[in-house]
Amino acid sequence: MSANDRPKGQPSQTYDSAFLKACRREPVPHTPVWFMRQAGRSLPEYRKLRAGTQMLESCMRPDLVTEITMQPVRRHNVDAAIFFSDIVVPLKAIGIDLDIKPGIGPVVAQPIRRREDLAQLRDLTPEDVPYVTEAIGMLTGELGGTPLIGFAGAPFTLASYLVEGGPSRNHEHTKALMYGDPQLWADLLDRLAEITSAFLKVQIEAGVSAVQLFDSWVGALAPEDYRRSVMPASAKVFSAVESYGVPRIHFGVGTGELLGLMGEAGADVMGVDWRVPMDEAVRRVGPGKALQGNLDPAVLFSTPEAVEAKTREVLDAAAGLEGHVFNLGHGVLPTTDPDALTRLVDYVHTQTQR
């Protein structure tokens, strides 16, 4: 049983939370708020705790993961916590030679570009990530009625890191493989879908209340390429965890042209970046899904009055939605003033009190 299941008798602590109600498109006491990258670089307490510890090491220490995940919940009064980890953690766990370089991102020692390179991608088991299970157990005990969101990188985004060897602006090696060897590409994404599904299952079985699939780089694709070459693998991931009954969120950056197709992949909640107004997003996604988003993260650098005005625009555009989870249209920027986030949570809660 996951933390999201309604047990026999009394509801679980998280089941009736505003966040999970919004994900299920049920009436809420207020619009719930959480932020992508709410745990991390914008918080001085995070920087102090992480000093001298490499990113991947910090993801593998349950004590650090628990404290870092809790920091924004205590500070901002957000309606959900997101598990502190990184999308490359499952790849590292199965033995891929990679590291997260400060200021650069994940760097892969041996990029995957030939069929024989697929041998690097073995199945992931719960025994590969015991620190994940331990940290989630610690967190669900401490969070009480606040839901915990688990996450993973989507097959396309993981493939892009693996094929490029690191972050890429144009994804030239990735697209060259996708167009030039469609069968190898399909096999690569299918293998990554299996690994991603296994990683999400570990998190759900440990007690997370919802999961988010980050397809950070998929906005680089045209709709037909997404439909043909990416959607089947993402759909496989969503299908693999459907039986658990936890809300499944899908998010990518620059994906306005893909919102309808990404919704078809099987998520319950579609994340929307700041480029598409929420009322237009619901038209593109169609009925039957909650939406999440979508204040521009850069707005938080403006005056409090400007932040409130732009937030009001998002709330007004989302007023007709069946379910709305307020979030930024991408992650919290590293130099964001934490107090601006705290004020934003309070403003959304106050403005949407029902």
Side-chain angles (χ1 to χ4, degrees), residues 86-91 98 108 112 121 152-165 174 185 188-189 192-193 195-196 199 213-217:
D86 190 274
I87 63 171
V88 300
V89 162
L91 300 180
L98 61 80
V108 179
I112 292 178
L121 297 174
F156 174 83
T157 291
L158 294 180
S160 179
Y161 279 120
L162 288 170
V163 174
E164 299 292 338
T174 306
W185 173 258
L188 170 60
L189 259 66
L192 290 169
I195 293 165
T196 298
F199 190 54
L213 192 66
F214 282 90
D215 215 346
S216 308
W217 304 130

Side-chain angles (χ1 to χ4, degrees), residues 51-65:
T53 306
Q54 295 295 318
M55 176 63 182
L56 282 171
E57 182 190 342
S58 67
C59 294
M60 297 173 188
R61 285 182 49 186
D63 58 331
L64 281 184
V65 170

